[in-house]
Amino acid sequence: MASDEQALDEGVQISDSKWIERKQTYSRDDFMQRHPFPFVLLVGDDKDVGFEFRTQTTPSLVDVQSTSHRVMPLLKRGANPYKDRIIVGRTKNCDLIIRSADISKYHADFRIEDASSALLRDRRSSNGTKVGDRTLQPNEAVVVRPWDRIRFGSTQLIFLGPGELWDVL
């Protein structure tokens, strides 16, 4: 069986319990050094997501989780030909696969700027891409930063840097 680092290199999802185990193993700084890439926290769709940010505290998984959530690193997989972007869609050749009928085959893409920011572009998706309350126009790109709420169709995610993921776990 491949190690977690090998699984990450291959773009295979690590279970949420493994991410929680990593928080318990590493200090925040060590975690950030070992995982120098952004994440998205899949928190479900608009039917089962209801979270609010608290001004005084950092949200935890309990604060943001829906009936199902998933930690997803924004990493390249070998399956798509675009080396400069992380593709979001519902097909097997996407880097970030979201299996939902309202996600386009090639819905959007991220171009990673650093571990805590990325350029997100809607790729003329059928059901749209939103960042916060803003609906992106086809091919429009915006910079996303930690705690930005992203919606692909009805699927909601939260963009996190490695430090913010450690805080949330």
Side-chain angles (χ1 to χ4, degrees):
M1 188 155 125
S3 73
D4 288 345
E5 277 70 27
Q6 289 169 323
L8 280 174
D9 289 342
E10 296 166 7
V12 176
Q13 178 187 324
I14 295 175
S15 70
D16 288 350
S17 62
K18 286 283 191 183
W19 289 113
I20 292 169
E21 182 180 307
R22 284 170 182 241
K23 177 184 179 161
Q24 295 167 347
T25 303
Y26 303 122
S27 70
R28 188 178 196 272
D29 289 339
D30 287 342
F31 185 91
M32 290 171 60
Q33 187 174 25
R34 289 174 176 271
H35 306 96
F37 43 83
F39 295 83
V40 290
L41 181 63
L42 176 69
V43 291
D45 63 28
D46 50 359
K47 290 182 276 311
D48 62 22
V49 175
F51 69 90
E52 298 177 12
F53 290 106
R54 298 180 183 153
T55 55
Q56 299 297 325
T57 62
T58 301
S60 71
L61 277 181
V62 172
D63 296 325
V64 297
Q65 76 180 3
S66 64
T67 54
S68 63
H69 69 275
R70 191 166 65 199
V71 173
M72 302 169 79
L74 288 178
L75 294 171
K76 287 295 300 165
R77 290 172 19 127
N80 83 58
Y82 303 105
K83 301 301 179 203
D84 63 337
R85 63 194 97 166
I86 295 171
I87 298 174
V88 179
R90 70 173 190 266
T91 61
K92 286 191 266 187
N93 63 334
C94 292
D95 300 305
L96 183 61
I97 300 168
I98 302 173
R99 301 260 185 226
S100 178
D102 64 348
I103 301 294
S104 297
K105 290 178 185 177
Y106 181 176
H107 196 98
D109 62 49
F110 289 95
R111 291 182 191 229
I112 305 303
E113 295 185 340
D114 58 43
S116 294
S117 67
L119 193 64
L120 171 62
R121 180 181 313 272
D122 178 83
R123 300 309 292 191
R124 298 188 178 275
S125 62
S126 298
N127 292 301
T129 300
K130 289 180 95 171
V131 176
D133 293 329
R134 179 179 175 184
T135 300
L136 301 184
Q137 297 302 310
N139 288 318
E140 179 183 5
V142 297
V143 174
V144 290
R145 299 197 189 318
W147 302 114
D148 281 347
R149 292 176 13 175
I150 300 168
R151 180 179 290 174
F152 300 122
S154 64
T155 301
Q156 292 190 66
L157 304 101
I158 302 170
F159 184 87
L160 301 170
E164 290 79 20
L165 178 63
W166 191 92
D167 292 342
V168 132
L169 294 171

